[in-house]
Amino acid sequence: MTTASGSQSLALLTDLYQLTMGAGYWKAGLAERRACFHLFFRRNPFGGGYAVAAGLDTALAYLESLRFQADDLAYLASLQTPDGSPLFEEGFVDFLAASSPQLDIHAVPEGTVVFPHEPLLRIEGPLWQAQLVETALLTIINFQTLIATKAARVCQSARSKDGTPENVLEFGLRRAQGIDGALSASRAAYIGGCAATSNVLAGRLFDIPVRGTHAHSWVMTFPSEREAFERYADAFPKGCVFLVDTYDTLEGVRTAIEVGRALRKQGHEMLGIRLDSGDLAQLSIDARRILDDAGFENAAIVASNDLDEYRIATLKEKGATITVWGVGTRLSTAYDQPALGGVYKLAAIQNQDGSWAPRIKLSETPIKTSIPTRQQVRRVTKDDRFVMDVIHSVDESPLGPFVDPEDPARARDVTPQGEALLQCVMQAGERTGASPSLQETRARTLSELARLPSPVRALREPERYFVGLSAPLAKLRNQLIEEKQ
C-alpha cells in the first residue's frame, strides 16, 4: 500500500480502542465469534449527487499483510495503565502473535458510482479482527473515495461542450497532506478521471502517465525569457510547453512563438504554453488569437492556479480557450471538504448455532440510525441508465416496494434487474483474484458516470438518486428500532 514506512508492519495502524476492545472480546470469550460490519457514508461529498468508490486495492494490500511482528508485540506489552500495570495481558499479546488474516471481504469495485447508506465494503470474520481493521479501512477508503469524487467533478466540469473529455492533470503533490496523502491522492485522482499526474513516484508505483512543464525559476535563472525558452527547447525539443507568465504574459506567448518557429526548422513542434496567473479567461483568449495568427493552431493552452470544478466552469462560461487544466491544491487536499465522513458499523453477529443476529445503532438524528443485518446492494438499470439502487439482506431476493431510508414516505415499486454491486474480493484473508489495472478502474469510472442521469451529476443542487431498502429489510429495521427504544 502507499506508505512512507516501506515494509514496516501496519498492524498498529489503528486507534487504541480497537485493541482494547479486542482484548475485551478475548477476555469475554467472544474474540473468534464471527461478526459482520459495513463501511459506508451518510452524505455525498461536496454537496454533489454521488461519490466514486476508491481505495479498495490499497485496503486489500493492508488486510492481506495484517500480522503482528515482534516489535509490534513488544510495544503493546510495554503499554501501561495509569497505575503502572500492563495495559494488555500477556495472554492477549500471545493471542495476537499467533493470529493471521481471516477476514472475508465483499466490496463494490473501485470506480463504481456509489451513494449514501450503501455498503462500500462488507467485512465478515472473527469479531476482534473485524473490529481491529475499522480505523485503517476508514482512513484508506474515506480519503481515496473523496479524492476520486473530487477528480470526477473536476473532469466533468472540464469536458468540452460536445462532451469530448479534455485533459485534466493532477498537480497536487507539493500541497498534499504528506507523502502518503500525496500518493493516495494521485492514485485516486487518476481513478476519478484525471489523465496524468506530476507525481513521478505515483507514476512509477501505479503506472499513471506523468506530465509537467517547467517552473518560473527556470525562466528566472537565465538572463532573458527567450534564452530560458531556447535552452529548454535544446533540452526537450519534442516536449516543449513554455510557462509564459513570469514577466509579461502576452509577451511571453510571443517569445514562445519565436522559439517555436526555430523548433519547426529543426523538425519539431512546440506543444503549447502554460498560464499560471492573472485573468486566465482573457489571457487564454488573447493567447489563442496570437498563437493562431502565428500558425500555431494546434498548440495547447495549459492553465493552472487554484483551479477546481467551480472555477473551471466559470472560466468556460467566460469563453476561456484553455485545453489542458492543471489542478493541484483544491483537488489533492479536497479543499472544500477535508473528509468524507464514512463510518463503520456492526450489522450482525453470529450466534453459537451459526445463525446471524442483526444489530442496529440508534440515534436521535434519524440519518445516523444504522441499517441492520448482512447487506447486498443491487442496481436497477433501464436503457443502460442507472435508475435506482436497492439495499437488501443477503438472504433475500428483493422485490418492491422499496422504502427510502431517509424518507419512508418516498417509495418505488419495481422489479430489480442487474447485478449485485458487492463482490467477494477476499476470503479468509486471501484475495479471490487479481485486482483490475488502474487504467481499467479509471475506464469503469468514466463508464459509470456516463450511465448516471445528468441531473444527478450536476455540480450544484443535484437531483437525489433513489436508494431504497427492500420491504423485508425496512420491516426488520423498524422492528429493531421499536425494540431498542
Side-chain angles (χ1 to χ4, degrees), residues 372-373 391-393 396-402 469-479:
T373 205
I391 304 173
H392 63 92
S393 165
E396 63 170 297
S397 298
L399 298 174
F402 304 102
L469 298 182
S470 68
L473 182 53
K475 181 179 179 181
L476 173 63
R477 189 182 192 223
N478 290 335
Q479 288 175 342

Side-chain angles (χ1 to χ4, degrees), residues 98-120:
S99 68
S100 61
Q102 293 296 320
L103 295 175
D104 298 341
I105 308 294
H106 288 73
V108 298
E110 291 191 89
T112 301
V113 173
V114 289
F115 305 95
H117 306 292
E118 299 179 342
L120 276 62

Side-chain angles (χ1 to χ4, degrees), residues 12 38 83 101 112 125 138 154 168 184 193 216 241 266 296 305 310 321 338 357 362 365 396 399 409 445 450 471 484:
L12 299 186
H38 295 113
D83 68 359
T112 301
L138 283 172
V154 169
V168 175
S184 295
H216 294 108
V241 176
Q266 301 169 24
F296 287 86
N305 188 25
Y310 304 111
T321 59
L362 300 186
T365 304
E396 63 170 297
L399 298 174
T445 300
K484 298 298 182 181

Side-chain angles (χ1 to χ4, degrees), residues 213-438:
T213 58
H214 60 75
H216 294 108
S217 56
W218 173 270
V219 179
M220 296 162 64
T221 296
F222 297 91
S224 69
E225 186 174 57
R226 176 163 186 148
E227 185 175 349
F229 289 174
E230 287 173 341
R231 298 290 77 78
Y232 197 77
D234 289 343
F236 301 101
K238 298 180 181 180
C240 286
V241 176
F242 298 116
L243 179 60
V244 297
D245 72 334
T246 305
Y247 306 118
D248 181 296
T249 301
L250 296 183
E251 282 303 310
V253 175
R254 296 184 179 96
T255 301
I257 288 171
E258 293 175 5
V259 177
R261 286 174 175 150
L263 276 170
R264 277 183 174 172
K265 290 180 181 179
Q266 301 169 24
H268 306 299
E269 191 69 18
M270 177 179 71
L271 299 183
I273 62 159
R274 179 160 75 95
L275 307 172
D276 190 51
S277 61
D279 184 341
L280 295 181
Q282 189 59 52
L283 287 172
S284 71
I285 292 170
D286 293 340
R288 182 78 274 158
R289 173 180 50 78
I290 295 170
L291 289 165
D292 289 352
D293 289 348
F296 287 86
E297 296 89 348
N298 294 325
I301 297 180
V302 183
S304 50
N305 188 25
D306 289 334
L307 297 175
D308 62 11
E309 66 267 46
Y310 304 111
R311 192 169 185 211
I312 290 172
T314 299
L315 287 168
K316 294 180 75 171
E317 289 170 0
K318 292 180 177 180
T321 59
I322 297 163
T323 51
V324 180
W325 308 84
V327 186
T329 302
R330 293 177 181 270
L331 170 56
S332 63
T333 67
Y335 193 83
D336 46 337
Q337 182 179 326
L340 176 65
V343 294
Y344 189 95
K345 297 300 178 184
L346 178 67
I349 190 164
Q350 200 169 45
N351 294 317
Q352 290 184 337
D353 63 3
S355 63
W356 285 92
R359 292 291 189 266
I360 191 169
K361 187 266 181 187
L362 300 186
S363 174
E364 293 180 358
T365 304
I367 196 174
K368 290 190 174 183
T369 296
S370 67
I371 301 171
T373 205
R374 301 160 65 227
Q375 299 158 32
Q376 178 59 273
V377 184
R378 191 173 299 275
R379 180 155 291 165
V380 181
T381 60
K382 183 178 181 181
D383 299 327
D384 203 34
R385 293 280 179 171
F386 300 150
V387 175
M388 63 173 283
D389 288 4
V390 177
I391 304 173
H392 63 92
S393 165
V394 297
D395 299 320
E396 63 170 297
S397 298
L399 298 174
F402 304 102
V403 178
D404 188 331
E406 296 185 24
D407 181 8
R410 186 176 184 231
R412 292 188 182 180
D413 189 358
V414 298
T415 300
Q417 295 179 358
E419 62 182 358
L421 296 188
L422 290 166
Q423 303 175 6
C424 182
V425 294
M426 178 169 279
Q427 287 185 320
E430 296 185 0
R431 299 195 197 213
T432 57
S435 296
S437 69
L438 212 59

